[in-house]
Amino acid sequence: MGVNMRDIATAAGVSMGTVSNVLNHPERVSPKLVERVQSHILRLGYVRNDAARQLRAGRSDTVGLVVLDLRNPFFTEVARGAELRGEEHGLNLMVTNSDDRTYRELTHIDRFEEQRVRGVLITPTPGGMERLHRLRDNGTPVVLVDRESRDLSFPSVSVDDVAGGYLATKHLLDSGRRHIAFVGGPLSIRQVADRLEGAQKAAAEVTGATVEFLGTPGLTVGAGRDVGRTLCERDAATRPDGVFSANDLLAVGLLQAFVMIGKLAIPDDIALVGYDDIDFAASTVIPLTSVRQPAEIIGATAVDLLVEIADNPTGTHDRVVFQPELVIRDTA
Amino acid sequence: MGVNMRDIATAAGVSMGTVSNVLNHPERVSPKLVERVQSHILRLGYVRNDAARQLRAGRSDTVGLVVLDLRNPFFTEVARGAELRGEEHGLNLMVTNSDDRTYRELTHIDRFEEQRVRGVLITPTPGGMERLHRLRDNGTPVVLVDRESRDLSFPSVSVDDVAGGYLATKHLLDSGRRHIAFVGGPLSIRQVADRLEGAQKAAAEVTGATVEFLGTPGLTVGAGRDVGRTLCERDAATRPDGVFSANDLLAVGLLQAFVMIGKLAIPDDIALVGYDDIDFAASTVIPLTSVRQPAEIIGATAVDLLVEIADNPTGTHDRVVFQPELVIRDTA
DNA sequence: GCAATTGGTTGGAACGTTTCAAGAAGGAGC
DNA sequence: GCTCCTTCTTGAAACGTTCCAACCAATTGC
């Protein structure tokens, strides 16, 4: 199948080198030949073979992105930002999701390495870090997304999650809440741990304030619903009066449970703050107070960082940290 | 950069053919050699070069997916279904989105063709059909997603959108509504046109029922909000008593406007039915009545179809049509 | 003991580009 | 008419795989 460069060369009565030049360096070829070759390309429907180009070039024009969860609108926005910015650099983006499973993440990284991608953008699971070091040492640039490397050995673009957690919790405390519940998990996800840390920091500043940790297996609507139900069953004494959830998906689930069961008034009996400010946060049963992160910009910045270190691998690693912002609506 | 097969062959004192066999057909190689070669592969950190494999093989293991809008959870689910099913077939998925712009769609198709992808799954814009025919005629299998080809010349997996529109509208009519507004657009998107057609069909069966078409530039939350505001400004006489929106994003926007302005009671003054039954539909201010489509299954089925026609290109084209299902909640 | 068979290994061609040194053609200067 | 420049164009060598015909031993059959 397929017309190749040789066919074009033969048809146009020129050498393959000339066809290649017409395609890649038209200025080196006389105008009349350019036109002749072009017409044959069109006539025969030639499509260049990317595999061959890559093989010759030794690298591809693809950037790999591994996100934790594609169903989370936050990551969709990140991907969108990365895709658009990548287009500007002539790069295309390959999006995959790990579902927070290390083995899936490793598979994706292997694939990317086999494809000699230009670089990898990733929100890693803890188990994947070692592999990432190897990937980087083998020459593939790596940028961490929404996650800083503990030892600062990778460039990263992230949001200050501790600050975000602090912001959310402080808002709850400011409205008089003292028994705060943090809903989220697993703690192996760095963002979750950081947001919890921020919450604890805020609580430490207020006498009498406590943070109760309510772990979840994941950051999904369903997990939030489950926790919401158990909270409704508690009596007023042991029930938290403020809930901060690690992301909006959880918050949506919590809210669903609260409203469905109908025992608790929001925000009077129990206040709720989410995280990410996804598009839907404004549209929930009771519009959700949430912490906003500049998702699309994060994706775009990650690509910029990648391009930068690809051009200049020896430079010190940039770490971009965005500050989150509290968006107050009706749940807290 | 990079260890290649020749390095392994030299190190292990065997030919490249043997190394290749260890990698691809271990059963052809004696156990002791397999082990020896493997150890050198591990020691030297050899990673195979996908470009070279592809060049040799003449095709890639990648399937391209072009969706209309990645921020729409419906398409995210489709992508997820396709990705998972693809993994089972040893294929990886490259997701791109066209944002309903033909030029972006064409760029993606060009890329996919250059990459000699195994096939393309696409929800096409009208302007892209001609290009798709050429792609297909050049030998790349194409499967339409959530869209049937008018002339049945492409295999497709879709949902009966006319039936979905009928279902939604009938439900509104059954509860006594007579002045139905259809919110959606552009009509160049087939799904939108079909859902409208279904709505009109349902209305035609009831005397006195009318369908008013309220066009939008896109299927986003923002567009829904705009329409919602203008509807609130109408007086009771000209205002529709039932609204059917072409997707849930629009419905969420409409709902936001209705609730924010607070002039209309839902569903008493105005009832609302959405489409797609995205995860968030259950969590909106007033839980949304919507038409459900099996998004993840659609993606998975598309991959199956692709694999099928790749194996047997001469067979007649399969067209899978799923039936939508009405999910009744509180807005209608 | 010789031919035929089996199981394992080898060498080299092919996949379709890009690149680059070297060649050809056409002018300009003297 | 000769040399010396330009300006294009060419031919062939990579890039790193996979595949396949040929080869080589070691069995087996008779």
Side-chain angles (χ1 to χ4, degrees), chain B:
Chain B
M1 164 210 128
V3 180
N4 60 21
M5 257 181 48
R6 177 167 6 259
D7 298 335
I8 301 296
T10 313
V14 296
S15 74
M16 285 173 51
T18 298
V19 177
S20 174
N21 279 333
V22 168
L23 254 24
N24 303 302
H25 308 278
E27 77 284 359
R28 294 187 192 160
V29 182
S30 64
K32 62 171 184 289
L33 260 195
V34 170
E35 203 191 345
R36 186 158 103 223
V37 171
Q38 292 275 27
S39 78
H40 285 281
I41 287 179
L42 237 54
R43 186 171 61 79
L44 298 178
Y46 166 73
V47 176
R48 51 182 178 190
N49 185 316
D50 201 48
R53 302 189 74 194
Q54 276 188 42
L55 174 57
R56 185 68 238 262
R59 64 175 188 179
S60 85
D61 288 333
T62 299
V63 170
L65 169 64
V66 185
V67 298
L68 283 183
D69 178 11
L70 247 195
R71 290 134 105 192
N72 185 332
F74 170 73
F75 286 114
T76 307
E77 291 291 316
V78 171
R80 184 186 168 74
E83 183 183 24
L84 294 177
R85 184 59 52 88
E87 256 166 49
E88 291 171 24
H89 291 288
L91 299 169
N92 44 5
L93 190 72
M94 188 141 183
V95 186
T96 60
N97 80 77
S98 64
D99 279 329
D100 195 31
R101 316 257 188 84
T102 299
Y103 81 94
R104 295 202 61 190
E105 173 174 308
L106 294 178
T107 308
H108 292 316
I109 296 175
D110 286 349
R111 282 252 218 216
F112 285 149
E113 191 170 20
E114 289 182 1
Q115 291 181 55
R116 305 291 191 270
V117 293
R118 197 68 141 272
V120 170
L121 314 178
I122 184 169
T123 307
T125 64
M129 291 309 291
E130 191 195 351
R131 178 73 180 85
L132 285 179
H133 274 96
R134 207 169 78 229
L135 180 67
R136 196 258 314 272
D137 295 345
N138 285 347
T140 304
V142 174
V143 174
L144 304 189
V145 175
D146 198 34
R147 168 94 144 83
E148 278 185 83
S149 64
R150 200 180 265 290
D151 57 1
L152 309 181
S153 61
F154 289 103
S156 63
V157 37
S158 59
V159 180
D160 187 339
D161 284 298
V162 177
Y166 180 88
L167 220 53
T169 309
K170 178 128 195 322
H171 178 67
L172 289 169
L173 294 166
D174 284 351
S175 67
R177 321 283 166 169
R178 285 297 175 271
H179 180 179
I180 309 295
F182 175 89
V183 177
L187 284 178
S188 57
I189 299 179
R190 173 60 90 88
Q191 290 89 322
V192 176
D194 282 357
R195 289 167 199 176
L196 172 57
E197 185 185 330
Q200 287 164 333
K201 204 170 117 193
E205 293 177 358
V206 176
T207 52
T210 60
V211 173
E212 178 186 6
F213 170 66
L214 298 175
T216 60
L219 302 168
T220 62
V221 176
R225 215 155 29 205
D226 293 343
V227 173
R229 271 195 281 263
T230 68
L231 282 179
C232 284
E233 287 167 8
R234 294 199 192 171
D235 55 31
T238 61
R239 190 196 309 133
D241 50 5
V243 177
F244 167 40
S245 74
N247 82 352
D248 280 351
L249 263 34
L250 283 171
V252 162
L254 285 160
L255 205 54
Q256 268 181 29
F258 294 159
V259 171
M260 209 158 57
I261 294 171
K263 226 179 72 180
L264 303 175
I266 298 162
D268 296 336
D269 294 335
I270 194 164
L272 176 62
V273 180
Y275 209 106
D276 284 346
D277 192 34
I278 60 179
D279 262 354
F280 301 97
S283 319
T284 48
V285 185
I286 301 165
L288 191 64
T289 294
S290 187
V291 178
R292 163 188 293 258
Q293 316 192 73
E296 216 173 310
I297 296 175
I298 290 173
T301 307
V303 172
D304 286 341
L305 236 51
L306 188 68
V307 171
E308 202 174 296
I309 59 175
D311 290 349
N312 172 25
T314 52
T316 58
H317 299 135
D318 277 312
R319 295 164 43 232
V320 179
V321 180
F322 290 100
Q323 287 304 312
E325 187 186 332
L326 186 69
V327 179
I328 299 175
R329 297 203 181 81
D330 303 341
T331 56

Side-chain angles (χ1 to χ4, degrees), chain A residues 5 16 20 46 53 56:
Chain A
M5 257 181 49
M16 284 172 53
S20 174
Y46 167 72
R53 302 188 73 195
R56 186 69 237 264

Side-chain angles (χ1 to χ4, degrees), chain A residues 46-104:
Chain A
Y46 167 72
V47 176
R48 51 182 177 188
N49 185 316
D50 202 47
R53 302 188 73 195
Q54 275 187 43
L55 174 58
R56 186 69 237 264
R59 64 173 188 180
S60 86
D61 288 333
T62 299
V63 170
L65 169 64
V66 186
V67 297
L68 282 183
D69 179 11
L70 248 194
R71 291 135 104 190
N72 184 334
F74 170 74
F75 287 113
T76 308
E77 292 290 317
V78 171
R80 184 186 168 74
E83 182 182 25
L84 294 177
R85 183 59 53 87
E87 256 165 49
E88 292 171 23
H89 291 289
L91 299 169
N92 44 6
L93 190 73
M94 189 140 182
V95 186
T96 59
N97 82 78
S98 64
D99 280 329
D100 195 32
R101 316 259 187 84
T102 299
Y103 81 94
R104 294 203 61 190

